Amino acid sequence: MITIIEYLNISGSFVFAISGALIAIKKKLDPFGVLIVAFITAVGGGTLRDILLAKEVFWLYNTSMLYAVFTGAVLAMFLKNKLDFFSKPMFFYDALGLGLFTITGVQIGIQNQLDNSICILLGTVTGVFGGVLRDVVVNRIPVIFKKEIYATASVLGGCLYLLLLKLNVPNPYSQIIPVLFTIIIRLAAVYFKVSLPTIYKKQHG
């Protein structure tokens, strides 16, 4: 499982770096600013997860993560126009990172023999908090504080992963299916404009 977690971490770092870099570019930050935002987006959730677990922070002892972040950020800077194959490309890369990091967080919770609910929470923290930090840095309201289906997709993906493990679904299907499930939920919510109900009254006039 350690090899799988490392692979998912690297993949998640790469796509989250692209997501962060695209948003930083949209905000017209300079190249250094783009790199910083890409880095925060890619490692923020995993860093918080490891701090909560009192573990070594995952990217401090694995330069592959840093290379993945740097490659993703540079790729976004140089190919920003060509990456625009999706109507909202940052949502696409954000969804990829969300799916990959959610399952990584759940796996690490299982590795530490934590309760299922805590494993799901760790998966959500890993998947969404890099995006929270990114949005704060670029002066946006974080997505999870609005009514969009974002953290909900992470929670559902984590639940599905635990269910597949309980049903003894073999690897790699037990990982691939919940990753794709999380990504599809997030993209479908954006595409079809599905959101959580609001607690505020609509303004008329």
Side-chain angles (χ1 to χ4, degrees):
M1 181 177 281
I2 293 175
T3 304
I4 294 170
I5 290 173
E6 184 175 348
Y7 175 76
L8 290 175
N9 263 328
I10 292 171
S11 302
S13 296
F14 175 73
V15 295
F16 257 151
I18 293 176
S19 166
L22 287 172
I23 289 175
I25 290 166
K26 189 177 179 181
K27 289 285 185 176
K28 301 190 182 304
L29 301 187
D30 66 20
F32 181 73
V34 172
L35 285 171
I36 293 297
V37 173
F39 178 76
I40 290 171
T41 309
V43 307
T47 299
L48 178 58
R49 174 202 65 217
D50 290 346
I51 290 172
L52 289 172
L53 291 172
K55 289 181 58 201
E56 295 176 342
V57 176
F58 73 104
W59 54 269
L60 289 177
Y61 302 93
N62 190 343
T63 53
S64 297
M65 305 297 173
L66 300 182
Y67 295 145
V69 172
F70 181 78
T71 302
V74 171
L75 190 69
M77 283 188 277
F78 281 96
L79 300 178
K80 58 183 182 294
N81 295 324
K82 293 182 180 179
L83 287 175
D84 196 18
F85 64 91
F86 195 75
S87 60
K88 295 181 179 178
M90 67 282 295
F91 283 120
F92 179 71
Y93 295 106
D94 216 28
L96 283 176
L98 181 66
L100 291 165
F101 269 175
T102 292
I103 305 310
T104 300
V106 176
Q107 287 176 333
I108 290 174
I110 293 170
Q111 211 176 59
N112 284 270
Q113 299 180 326
L114 299 176
D115 183 80
N116 285 346
S117 60
I118 302 300
C119 291
I120 292 169
L121 178 60
L122 283 179
T124 305
V125 166
T126 308
V128 308
F129 268 86
V132 170
L133 293 174
R134 173 202 65 207
D135 290 344
V136 169
V137 168
V138 300
N139 197 30
R140 300 196 326 173
I141 297 175
V143 174
I144 66 166
F145 298 154
K146 297 188 287 187
K147 60 181 182 176
E148 289 189 24
I149 303 293
Y150 190 71
T152 307
S154 180
V155 170
L156 292 175
C159 289
L160 178 59
Y161 179 60
L162 291 176
L163 176 62
L164 293 178
L165 289 183
K166 191 172 182 179
L167 295 174
N168 295 316
V169 174
N171 291 328
Y173 304 109
S174 60
Q175 279 115 27
I176 293 173
I177 292 171
V179 168
L180 291 176
F181 177 74
T182 305
I183 293 169
I184 289 169
I185 286 182
R186 173 61 182 148
L187 292 179
V190 172
Y191 184 80
F192 294 108
K193 297 181 180 178
V194 177
S195 62
L196 297 175
T198 180
I199 62 173
Y200 303 103
K201 292 181 179 179
K202 291 184 178 180
Q203 297 292 326
H204 299 284

